[in-house]
Amino acid sequence: MTYEQPLSAATNATIRIKLFKNVKNVPHLRKQIISGALKCCIIKPNLIVDPFQIVVAANKALTANKMTTRTMFAEILFNLSISKNITQSLQKFGIDDNEKDIIVVVIDKGDFSDKVHEVYEQIKGEEVDILCLKDLTDLKEVKKAYKLSDTEYEKLSILDSVVSRIATKDCI
Amino acid sequence: MVIAIGFEGSANKLGIGIVKDGEVLSNCRRTYITPPGAGFLPRETAQHHRENILEVLKEALDEAKIYVKDIDVVCYTKGPGMGAPLASVAVVARTLAQLWNKPLLGVNHCIGHIEMGRLITGAENPTILYVSGGNTQVIAFSRNRYRIVGETIDIAVGNCLDRFARILKLSNAPSPGYNIEQLAKKGKKLISLPYCVKGMDVSFSGILTYMEERANQLLKDGYTKEDLCFSLQEHVFAMLIETSERALAHCNSKEVLIVGGVGCNERLQEMMDIMCKERDAKLFATDERFCIDNGVMIAHAGAEMFQSGTRMSWEDCTITQRYRTDAVVTTWRRE
Amino acid sequence: MEGFELLQQGAEARLYKGIYLGKPTLVKERFEKKYRHPDLDKHLTKERIKAESRAIIRCKSAGIETPTLYLVDFTKRCVYMEYFEHSITAKEFIKNASKDFIERLSYEIGVVLARMHSNNIIHGDLTTSNILLVNKSGKDDFMTNYSDLKVVLIDFGLAYIESSAEDKGVDLYVLERALVSIHNDPEKIFDLILEAYKSSYKKGHVEVLLKFEEVRARGRKRTMVG
């Protein structure tokens, strides 16, 4: 149901990724995140190929010496994008008020296990198996967003190409 | 027992030396030094050699305390180098060989450096970094030749340094490289410069052009001449050490020998030593008597060739501006 | 490096293997070179890491299989990338595979190199140890079914982007030398590689092969200058 993965050993953190459909209180959740009251990252599903994509972006955020954005959660959204423009990145990968299906990401540093439930309680929607993500992915949009070439899109693993772009954003 | 006399004049150093079975009997030299800001050109350099060669010859013979009849072979630099200077010295060597009725051998300048380096330092089978005004090569001995494992794809490191010295109008006495070295010791700020290593090869024209275009502005911006010299050395030497290290790893060697005029530089030697210690290898280097072009190295390499049976006809005793190190079969050294 | 096993130590870097983010991972940790001024060392290492990453990404754009990158850490001078557990090097493969398989591999290498060079990517260290055959089904069988295998290029530590025919020629020359020094029938293999290279790199191959012949005739890696 939940996708869980320990991040880099030095971070002492585990990422937990859940998928929710038909969420009724998205505008409220957004306000809560911006105010800092809700400690999670909410991602639009259409540009996510596989939860591992989020793992790589989150791992990068947690292992970085210096963040570009102001919060860890904003940093995850920023890292998912190949753009160096923060606003653009947050808009592209984050949700807007009209979104019904959302990916909820929580970073558990061991001390957080109890608070995790608090996050999920706030979401007024139906939790589905994370595997259902593949039905929500828009591969054509992914190709555009990550500037994948036609050859690459046809021949290679899209997840591998996307993840590699996330990892090397600072190298280009 | 072979007594050899060697004549060297491929660039601005005129050297005549006499060696007997690996023992240096005399090593005499004159350097053609141009005013600050000017480089040496072939015609004037050849003129300098012609004007001084007989005096240097007498000096070499007197110092060695030998008679002409004791000499077994006359050796001269066949190449590589500048045409007119090479020719001016070769003519004298050929004439003397005929007058004295001695065999004549044309020696490869680079091999002269290598064999002299091996003789003086005792290095057995080193990876060789040969760096001078005219040459920059990383060399490894294999299958009877000194193989060029890496080299400059444009100008030699010494040439880069010399031309930089001209931009700063540094004195050419005793040599521009020496003066850059002294200033560099007092440099503090490191300027970021182009760094160009491609595999085992290096390129210096980029960093030189960069300096040519920006030196004046950098000096205005608050960097000193010392800072510029320091930065240039740190970059070009790092490039040389990097390619040497790759060659060392590739050839599985445990010894490094630095030869050629730029090899006198203490910072280069220090950097190479650090690299060698990290790889558990040993560094060998000579001092300015033998780093800088000299006649003894030609005599010694020639003696080795002679003793192993190499002979050259008069027709073969020409000079050539391009003469690759790996073109010579090392008859005196077999694998 | 905690939790990782040291695989290899070269002149430039150490290679470690382990599980990272749930995936088999190779970590390339570049050395600090103490002979260099520290600022220069930091700068160069960062540039090298960037160049290697760029070449890998560019290969993917060209449809060439390369390791997936997971994390680039400039401070620790490390790159974390995909480790291929069910793979062998082309070097090993050629020693043991059937004639037919070797022919198919040679042809495929030619096609891949053509694609690489037409995208102006210079590998810089093309040896048969830097070409992997990976079993797509996750089995350690490389001799039964060729279509189970895919060709992956690795070790882009000396790679750079360059359009010059000479650099591409040198790239091919390095591969030829590597084949000659290790394998028994290098000419046949290399001939097939070149054949595939020619038909796949329609426009560019002529100039590249001209330069390749020049470099080969001199018996050394670069056209002599000065």
Side-chain angles (χ1 to χ4, degrees):
Chain A
M1 279 290 249
T2 310
Y3 185 103
E4 241 176 65
Q5 177 61 48
L7 300 179
S8 177
T11 65
N12 249 322
T14 295
I15 188 173
R16 289 178 214 281
I17 305 174
K18 279 185 188 281
L19 180 61
F20 288 87
K21 290 182 105 166
N22 299 317
V23 180
K24 308 255 191 302
N25 62 339
V26 169
H28 169 73
L29 294 173
R30 285 189 69 218
K31 283 210 196 79
Q32 293 287 86
I33 288 183
I34 291 169
S35 71
L38 186 61
K39 301 223 186 304
C40 69
C41 172
I42 300 190
I43 305 173
K44 201 168 20 191
N46 73 330
L47 292 176
I48 305 299
V49 176
D50 182 286
F52 185 65
Q53 183 178 342
I54 304 172
V55 170
V56 171
N59 187 59
K60 188 173 175 202
L62 271 93
T63 56
N65 278 337
K66 227 174 62 178
M67 290 201 301
T68 311
T69 64
R70 272 180 275 145
T71 70
M72 180 173 60
F73 302 112
E75 194 77 5
I76 294 175
L77 289 174
F78 178 66
N79 286 346
L80 280 168
S81 164
I82 59 169
S83 163
K84 303 236 162 119
N85 183 309
I86 300 178
T87 316
Q88 259 181 42
S89 306
L90 299 186
Q91 271 174 5
K92 207 176 180 97
F93 286 86
I95 48 165
D96 60 37
D97 286 343
N98 300 320
E99 210 67 50
K100 293 279 174 274
D101 304 325
I102 61 173
I103 298 173
V104 177
V105 176
V106 152
I107 303 291
D108 183 354
K109 288 199 175 177
D111 55 345
F112 197 57
S113 310
D114 305 326
K115 303 239 177 96
V116 167
H117 294 291
E118 283 178 25
V119 169
Y120 299 137
E121 270 157 24
Q122 299 249 4
I123 300 168
K124 304 237 179 310
E126 183 199 330
E127 190 197 333
V128 296
D129 194 320
I130 188 71
L131 296 171
C132 297
L133 174 59
K134 64 179 184 323
D135 301 325
L136 299 172
T137 312
D138 185 338
L139 289 177
K140 291 258 158 64
E141 286 301 309
V142 168
K143 177 175 185 276
K144 245 171 63 186
Y146 287 97
K147 299 211 171 85
L148 304 185
S149 71
D150 295 339
T151 322
E152 187 174 11
Y153 184 76
E154 280 150 39
K155 281 183 167 351
L156 306 181
S157 146
I158 295 177
L159 176 61
D160 286 350
S161 289
V162 163
V163 157
S164 300
R165 296 292 189 305
I166 292 173
T168 58
K169 183 167 169 176
D170 305 321
C171 297
I172 311 295
Chain B
M1 191 191 71
V2 172
I3 298 183
I5 183 168
F7 293 78
E8 155 60 32
S10 60
N12 66 333
K13 272 78 77 185
L14 168 68
I16 300 178
I18 298 173
V19 72
K20 170 178 154 182
D21 277 344
E23 189 197 330
V24 176
L25 298 183
S26 64
N27 186 15
C28 305
R29 182 166 61 208
R30 295 280 189 284
T31 307
Y32 171 47
I33 297 177
T34 46
F40 56 88
L41 296 169
R43 180 152 49 128
E44 290 74 21
T45 310
Q47 193 174 336
H48 165 271
H49 291 351
R50 280 197 296 272
E51 281 166 7
N52 289 278
I53 194 164
L54 294 178
E55 189 181 301
V56 178
L57 172 63
K58 186 165 187 310
E59 229 177 79
L61 287 167
D62 288 346
E63 204 181 293
K65 298 195 194 7
I66 56 162
Y67 294 106
V68 165
K69 66 176 170 65
D70 300 323
I71 296 175
D72 295 301
V73 58
V74 175
C75 316
Y76 74 97
T77 306
K78 180 171 179 159
M82 297 168 96
L86 278 171
S88 66
V89 171
V91 155
V92 172
R94 277 193 221 116
T95 309
L96 288 173
Q98 297 227 16
L99 275 175
W100 296 341
N101 198 22
K102 305 285 176 186
L104 180 65
L105 284 180
V107 176
N108 178 299
H109 179 89
C110 316
I111 294 198
H113 274 294
I114 296 172
E115 289 305 331
M116 198 65 207
R118 284 179 63 228
L119 174 71
I120 296 293
T121 65
E124 279 181 33
N125 188 15
T127 300
I128 300 151
L129 175 66
Y130 170 32
V131 276
S132 68
N135 296 280
T136 295
Q137 298 171 6
V138 179
I139 296 160
F141 181 72
S142 157
R143 298 186 330 268
N144 306 315
R145 282 174 201 264
Y146 284 109
R147 311 262 166 197
I148 300 172
V149 165
E151 64 189 308
T152 175
I153 64 176
D154 41 56
I155 58 175
V157 62
N159 188 237
C160 177
L161 293 168
D162 290 351
R163 283 159 72 173
F164 173 69
R166 275 182 246 161
I167 302 170
L168 292 186
K169 299 245 183 345
L170 300 183
S171 162
N172 288 321
S175 77
Y178 178 82
N179 293 322
I180 292 178
E181 182 178 357
Q182 301 320 306
L183 284 177
K185 285 181 182 165
K186 298 188 221 130
K188 301 240 166 51
K189 291 190 247 180
L190 186 81
I191 304 160
S192 179
L193 300 173
Y195 184 98
C196 189
V197 169
K198 275 190 186 165
M200 304 257 221
D201 292 331
V202 286
S203 164
F204 295 110
S205 59
I207 197 172
L208 178 63
T209 310
Y210 188 92
M211 276 305 206
E212 278 170 350
E213 288 172 357
R214 284 180 193 63
N216 286 322
Q217 187 57 46
L218 288 166
L219 291 169
K220 285 194 193 122
D221 288 343
Y223 292 100
T224 62
K225 277 185 181 183
E226 288 80 0
D227 294 333
L228 263 60
C229 290
F230 170 62
S231 303
L232 182 64
Q233 276 197 174
E234 289 302 304
H235 281 74
V236 301
F237 290 168
M239 286 161 61
L240 294 172
I241 307 296
E242 182 172 347
T243 47
S244 303
E245 183 171 22
R246 289 225 180 101
L248 207 58
H250 185 79
C251 304
N252 248 321
S253 164
K254 285 288 180 201
E255 294 177 321
V256 174
L257 170 66
I258 307 180
V259 297
V262 181
C264 293
N265 189 301
E266 284 170 3
R267 177 57 182 152
L268 175 62
Q269 290 185 14
E270 179 186 45
M271 285 166 80
M272 188 67 90
D273 196 38
I274 296 172
M275 183 279 279
C276 283
K277 289 211 163 73
E278 276 181 2
R279 304 196 62 86
D280 211 31
K282 189 149 184 250
L283 172 64
F284 295 90
T286 59
D287 61 39
E288 59 85 38
R289 286 172 299 162
F290 305 109
C291 261
I292 299 178
D293 290 347
N294 59 86
V296 176
M297 71 190 196
I298 301 301
H300 174 62
E304 297 273 81
M305 289 161 71
F306 188 74
Q307 270 189 302
S308 60
T310 305
R311 298 289 181 271
M312 285 183 188
S313 67
W314 293 110
E315 290 73 24
D316 288 336
C317 291
T318 52
I319 56 114
T320 171
Q321 287 182 260
R322 293 207 202 307
Y323 190 8
R324 282 183 72 76
T325 315
D326 50 22
V328 177
V329 175
T330 59
T331 51
W332 63 96
R333 192 184 165 186
R334 298 261 143 199
E335 200 161 30
Chain C
M1 282 216 55
E2 259 186 61
F4 286 89
E5 170 202 333
L6 178 67
L7 275 188
Q8 210 183 300
Q9 185 153 314
E12 317 282 332
R14 261 180 226 117
L15 292 180
Y16 295 90
K17 176 191 157 190
I19 303 288
Y20 190 73
L21 306 179
K23 309 266 179 188
T25 299
L26 183 76
V27 186
K28 182 168 180 174
E29 183 189 30
R30 281 183 157 79
F31 292 126
E32 237 179 291
K33 293 289 179 184
K34 302 241 155 46
Y35 65 80
R36 283 182 203 142
H37 187 287
D39 290 351
L40 176 58
D41 190 50
K42 213 165 96 179
H43 176 78
L44 266 183
T45 305
K46 188 167 179 180
E47 288 304 307
R48 299 269 162 92
I49 291 176
K50 281 186 183 176
E52 181 168 11
S53 307
R54 263 183 250 138
I56 290 177
I57 297 285
R58 203 158 160 140
C59 273
K60 284 191 189 290
S61 276
I64 299 169
E65 295 271 7
T66 55
T68 299
L69 298 169
Y70 300 141
L71 182 76
V72 171
D73 188 336
F74 291 120
T75 322
K76 296 214 176 71
R77 328 155 101 80
C78 286
V79 177
Y80 293 69
M81 66 183 96
E82 179 179 8
Y83 178 81
F84 297 97
E85 284 185 316
H86 307 288
S87 69
I88 54 167
T89 61
K91 183 176 172 183
E92 277 307 303
F93 183 82
I94 293 172
K95 284 200 181 126
N96 301 308
S98 68
K99 194 158 161 278
D100 175 50
F101 275 30
I102 295 177
E103 274 178 27
R104 292 167 78 169
L105 174 65
S106 307
Y107 202 82
E108 199 170 341
I109 291 176
V111 172
V112 169
L113 292 186
R115 213 181 289 148
M116 193 178 76
H117 283 172
S118 59
N119 281 275
N120 295 331
I121 305 161
I122 309 293
H123 184 279
D125 196 11
L126 274 179
T127 65
T128 47
S129 304
N130 287 335
I131 301 171
L132 290 188
L133 276 110
V134 174
N135 186 305
K136 294 185 272 194
S137 323
K139 289 187 274 198
D140 282 313
D141 175 11
F142 306 98
M143 304 299 159
T144 313
N145 205 341
Y146 188 83
S147 45
D148 268 354
L149 310 176
K150 67 176 181 183
V151 170
V152 179
L153 293 187
I154 58 168
D155 201 349
F156 285 82
L158 293 177
Y160 55 99
I161 309 299
E162 175 65 66
S163 57
S164 101
E166 162 126 27
D167 289 53
K168 295 172 189 174
V170 171
D171 229 13
L172 293 177
Y173 180 67
V174 169
L175 179 59
E176 191 192 27
R177 298 304 314 148
L179 281 165
V180 163
S181 66
I182 295 164
H183 302 288
N184 280 331
D185 210 358
E187 298 87 20
K188 199 110 185 289
I189 298 175
F190 197 69
D191 282 344
L192 280 169
I193 293 176
L194 282 189
E195 206 185 290
Y197 185 86
K198 279 186 211 160
S199 37
S200 307
Y201 192 7
K202 292 194 172 55
K203 285 195 195 144
H205 80 261
V206 177
E207 222 199 316
V208 173
L209 289 177
L210 227 63
K211 285 291 174 187
F212 167 72
E213 290 297 337
E214 260 180 55
V215 163
R216 199 201 218 180
R218 283 185 168 72
R220 64 160 313 274
K221 289 182 288 145
R222 241 168 229 294
T223 315
M224 200 188 87
V225 182

